[in-house]
Amino acid sequence: RGIDLISLGQAGRIKKRIVDNEVIGNDRVLEIGCGTGTFAIMAAKKATHVTGFDVSSAMLDVARKKVEKEALSDKIELVEMGVSGMDSFEDSSFDLVVSTLVFSELSPDERKYALKHSRRLLKPGGKLVLADEVKPDSFWRRFIHAVIRIPLTVFTYVLTQTTTRAVDGLKESVREAGFEIIKEERLLLGSFLYLVNKKEDA
């Protein structure tokens, strides 16, 4: 709820959009930072299998209850770990890797690590979908965004003791990691970036 508040509801809408537009029937999907399982459940109703991981045991407990309620335990695997655990997955084991509003909670080194292993884990031609906060590209957009976001950030932190920070140079980092950007869209005064990236041939 805190993330939805900060993103003015964009986080929930973008998850549905990813499922509608990027997930196909035979996909094996990995979600970085699965939270309470909202995306994993939506994706599993369409994909072959979904693996989600998160560092929060409390959120995973909620996710597992939701998965059981939806009778999707055979299609969803939930793992308690951070991005450092991505090295435990086998090469080329996923068709799609997804991250929504997670990179903004990671350090630059963690983001680099996550991108490196996302590429390793994807099958040839596989896709990485990222949706996250970035800095608007003009002064006035940054100003208006700050006026709106600062009180939301304070309120959300009081409720959840967590927050996010706009990611600098996300597109450049994605390209450096060996991905081709095939779809790009900016939302919320340019403060929210939606990227679909294809694994480039080695």
Side-chain angles (χ1 to χ4, degrees), residues 48-147:
T48 297
H49 192 270
V50 179
T51 300
F53 69 84
D54 204 286
V55 295
S56 171
S57 59
M59 286 197 287
L60 287 173
D61 286 342
V62 174
R64 291 188 178 102
K65 290 176 183 177
K66 289 164 64 176
V67 169
E68 289 176 8
K69 184 177 180 180
E70 294 285 341
L72 289 169
S73 298
D74 60 330
K75 296 187 70 176
I76 298 176
E77 178 186 6
L78 299 174
V79 184
E80 184 178 343
M81 69 178 201
V83 294
S84 61
M86 291 176 72
D87 60 1
S88 63
F89 297 119
E90 294 183 5
D91 292 2
S92 304
S93 51
F94 297 98
D95 302 281
L96 179 67
V97 176
V98 174
S99 170
T100 58
L101 280 166
V102 174
F103 273 43
S104 49
E105 298 182 9
L106 302 178
S107 70
D109 285 343
E110 287 174 322
R111 291 196 291 268
K112 185 176 181 180
Y113 189 88
L115 288 171
K116 172 187 173 182
H117 282 281
S118 292
R119 188 182 187 283
R120 179 184 65 80
L121 296 174
L122 283 168
K123 297 175 182 178
K127 291 186 292 186
L128 167 67
V129 180
L130 300 175
D132 223 312
E133 285 191 285
V134 294
K135 293 181 179 178
D137 53 6
S138 75
F139 170 79
W140 287 112
R141 284 187 175 186
R142 288 194 294 271
F143 176 77
I144 295 169
H145 176 250
V147 169

